[in-house]
Amino acid sequence: MSAPGPYAAARRTLSTGQRVGLAAVGVLLVAGVTLATTPTLIAVVAVLSAAYVAAFAERLLLLHRAIHDPGLIVVDPDDARACPDADLPLYTVLVPAYQEPEVLPHLLAAIGRLEYPADRLEVLLLLEEDDEATYAAARAAASPPYLRVVRVPYSEPRTKPKACNIGLEIARGDFVTIFDAEDRPEPLQLRRAVAAFRRLPPSVACLQAKLGFFNHKQNILTQWFTAEYAMWFEHMLPGLVRQDAPVPLGGTSNHFRTEVLRELGGWDPFNVTEDADLGVRLYRRGYRTLILDSVTLEEANSDAINWLKQRSRWYKGYLQTWLVHSRQPLRRCREMGLVTYLRFNLFVGGTPLLAIINPIFWALTLMWFVGRVGFVHALFPAWLLYASLVCLVAGNFTFVYVNVLAARATGLPGLVFRSVLSLAYWVLMSLAAAKAMVQLVLAPSFWEKTTHGLGATPLPPPSDPLPDDVVPAAVAAAVEGPTIDRPVAAIPSAAGTSIALETGSVHA
């Protein structure tokens, strides 16, 4: 993985074929609007309305399948604990963190509560070279023998997947997972994953644990976010599994067979939702992802500006993933099957694109009902008007209905009522989608940092500092970047051996 390889696909936003196709569509639209304005605009509205109907129908189908047969991988606690410690495989946990000194002790404490033997655990804390604050927080926190600090050398792009690729290169575990700095995984999650992998066929290369929030009560934004996550991990992703469709992974608590992850070349360092991209690549290579019935709690964004930063990055990454896997569409149809490929476009591409288009239809609806503007009337002949009204009512009902069902499934008091008001959440989504589109053009691989710790509970008590023999190491990045002097150093392992690797400057 010392070179970008074929999976740095998001390095280019558009392929040559996509540029030509986009230009051709643009020329046709301009010509159509110039020569036959009203018929062209009616055709555009009709196509977009059909896309809305298809997207909403797909969501309802996913909901139906998830409710009737969620297909979750359930491992009860006794089965998870049945394996003797000596028979457990070495498990690598990657923790990419940047500017997270306040919340890092939470994660280290949560990892310390994992029911997994310390001598079978390897935790790689991946810190950027210039992130002295988080490095100082790591040194001041607990120092279990399985924890190693890896300093990631400066190179572009400065993204989470680039850091994870560096961790993957030196990982020794048979299985690997990722935890974000604010995560609080369920203590039995690793044991459940091991037990599940051992009883599943090798074609199941990834288990995605469910995600939830520990600060759902903080304000109405965190409650909307909680209902949305419940919809995503309780209904949408299980529905995709039941459809045998690609599963866009969550950014944390996805568990992999290490050899498969290396076979695929790791994560695309230029994709800002590297998890979603990896889920699609797994599917294209014939591997499958299942949902593990284990929950990792995260911090829901409680600040609207911070939420917009995070959501715009997610939407931008979904657009990147959609564009990457829409290249050579005939080949993709052969790989996935026509129906699955269409569903991929609806789910991964449709999610941000419909959020971008929503304000246009809101404005047209407002002008129709309030001002009876003439050109709006011309855009909607009777057949299209009634179809659009069905789309408006059914679409809004679908969105609210799915959120209410998800909120009810959480059992959290008050969340159902908040979900009824979640149409206001659409406005934030559209703002984030518009921002994502702008950044896709101007800064496609820019990773906009999300601030954590705004809803954290009190920090756990500090423990012994990290020992001075923790070597801040870095390996050659999996992407092209500035040349780095790379003397060889050794990182002591949990078993007392050492791993030789190429390092950047040492900051011990």
Side-chain angles (χ1 to χ4, degrees):
M1 294 194 330
S2 59
Y7 298 117
R11 181 195 295 270
R12 290 186 306 154
T13 301
L14 295 173
S15 67
T16 301
Q18 287 172 323
R19 291 175 187 272
V20 171
L22 186 61
V25 170
V27 169
L28 288 175
L29 282 176
V30 170
V33 170
T34 302
L35 300 175
T37 303
T38 300
T40 299
L41 293 179
I42 289 174
V44 170
V45 171
V47 169
L48 293 178
S49 297
Y52 269 98
V53 171
F56 294 140
E58 175 70 2
R59 296 297 173 103
L60 284 175
L61 181 59
L62 292 175
L63 177 66
H64 172 78
R65 296 203 172 188
I67 289 175
H68 286 82
D69 183 11
L72 297 176
I73 301 301
V74 179
V75 179
D76 66 47
D78 291 338
D79 288 343
R81 296 187 177 101
C83 183
D85 288 359
D87 293 339
L88 288 170
L90 183 63
Y91 218 117
T92 297
V93 177
L94 303 180
V95 183
Y98 183 65
Q99 299 296 340
E100 300 282 14
E102 294 84 5
V103 301
L104 183 64
H106 289 287
L107 176 61
L108 297 181
I111 291 176
R113 291 191 291 270
L114 290 174
E115 292 189 32
Y116 209 83
D119 63 343
R120 312 303 298 157
L121 190 61
E122 177 187 51
V123 179
L124 300 178
L125 181 57
L126 308 171
L127 303 179
E128 297 285 338
E129 262 188 329
D130 62 351
D131 189 3
E132 296 300 331
T134 310
Y135 181 57
R139 290 181 61 86
S143 56
Y146 52 73
L147 179 65
R148 294 292 175 263
V149 177
V150 179
R151 305 303 292 274
V152 178
Y154 178 84
S155 65
E156 294 294 338
R158 302 193 72 184
T159 59
K160 172 183 171 181
K162 186 196 75 175
C164 288
N165 281 338
I166 290 175
L168 179 63
E169 187 164 348
I170 62 175
R172 297 180 299 119
D174 298 307
F175 301 103
V176 62
T177 190
I178 299 174
F179 291 139
D180 286 338
E182 82 278 14
D183 285 359
R184 300 177 188 180
E186 182 237 343
L188 275 176
Q189 190 170 119
L190 300 191
R191 280 183 172 269
R192 291 186 200 270
V194 168
F197 274 124
R198 285 180 170 174
R199 74 190 192 195
L200 291 168
S203 60
V204 177
C206 177
L207 294 172
Q208 171 68 66
K210 296 188 289 187
L211 304 180
F213 295 123
F214 57 77
N215 63 323
H216 58 272
K217 296 181 180 179
Q218 191 167 351
N219 57 32
I220 191 170
L221 182 58
T222 61
Q223 290 173 325
W224 282 338
F225 207 172
T226 300
E228 183 187 20
Y229 251 40
M231 173 192 69
W232 199 254
F233 289 97
E234 296 289 345
H235 297 138
M236 297 296 104
L237 297 191
L240 289 172
V241 169
R242 301 312 300 167
Q243 284 186 341
D244 190 27
V247 177
L249 302 175
T252 178
S253 303
N254 25 55
H255 301 258
F256 302 96
R257 300 184 192 270
T258 306
E259 71 275 9
V260 174
L261 196 51
R262 285 178 171 148
E263 174 192 328
L264 267 66
W267 296 268
D268 186 338
F270 290 89
N271 193 314
V272 296
T273 53
E274 75 295 336
D275 38 20
D277 169 74
L278 182 55
V280 179
R281 284 197 285 126
L282 283 167
Y283 186 89
R284 285 177 50 197
R285 291 291 290 271
Y287 295 106
R288 292 298 178 263
T289 297
L290 299 179
I291 309 301
L292 181 66
D293 192 18
S294 176
V295 178
T296 293
L297 294 179
E298 297 190 296
E299 179 189 351
N301 262 312
S302 56
D303 176 79
I305 300 300
N306 205 40
W307 184 94
L308 284 171
K309 290 180 180 180
Q310 183 184 62
R311 184 54 57 94
S312 63
R313 175 170 58 79
W314 290 358
Y315 280 158
K316 181 173 67 172
Y318 264 54
L319 289 169
Q320 286 180 308
T321 300
W322 175 60
L323 290 171
V324 163
H325 296 284
S326 294
R327 298 167 189 172
Q328 300 177 308
L330 293 179
R331 180 180 175 184
R332 298 294 173 262
C333 286
R334 289 194 298 269
E335 289 176 343
M336 298 183 180
L338 176 60
V339 174
T340 300
Y341 181 62
L342 291 175
R343 283 174 170 161
F344 158 77
N345 282 276
L346 281 174
F347 195 84
V348 175
T351 296
L353 289 177
L354 293 183
I356 292 170
I357 297 168
N358 273 337
I360 299 174
F361 280 92
W362 294 339
L364 291 174
T365 302
L366 185 63
M367 286 187 285
W368 171 263
F369 283 108
V370 175
R372 295 285 179 175
V373 179
F375 86 89
V376 177
H377 180 78
L379 286 180
F380 291 90
W383 63 270
L384 184 55
L385 175 63
Y386 293 121
S388 298
L389 285 175
V390 170
C391 181
L392 175 68
V393 175
N396 284 276
F397 171 78
T398 299
F399 182 83
V400 175
Y401 177 66
V402 172
N403 273 272
V404 167
L405 280 183
R408 185 182 178 194
T410 66
L412 299 174
L415 203 58
V416 170
F417 173 72
R418 297 294 189 185
S419 297
V420 174
L421 305 176
S422 60
L423 287 177
Y425 199 43
W426 278 20
V427 177
L428 288 176
M429 290 180 177
S430 293
L431 289 173
K435 180 183 175 185
M437 184 62 80
V438 172
Q439 283 199 346
L440 183 69
V441 175
L442 301 179
S445 295
F446 172 62
W447 190 283
E448 194 159 16
K449 179 75 176 68
T450 303
T451 303
H452 296 120
L454 303 179
T457 55
L459 293 175
S463 185
D464 298 331
L466 286 173
D468 290 333
D469 66 347
V470 173
V471 179
V475 297
V479 296
E480 294 177 352
T483 301
I484 303 171
D485 294 330
R486 296 190 288 267
V488 173
I491 296 183
S493 73
T497 60
S498 62
I499 309 169
L501 55 126
E502 292 180 270
T503 68
S505 302
V506 174
H507 297 280

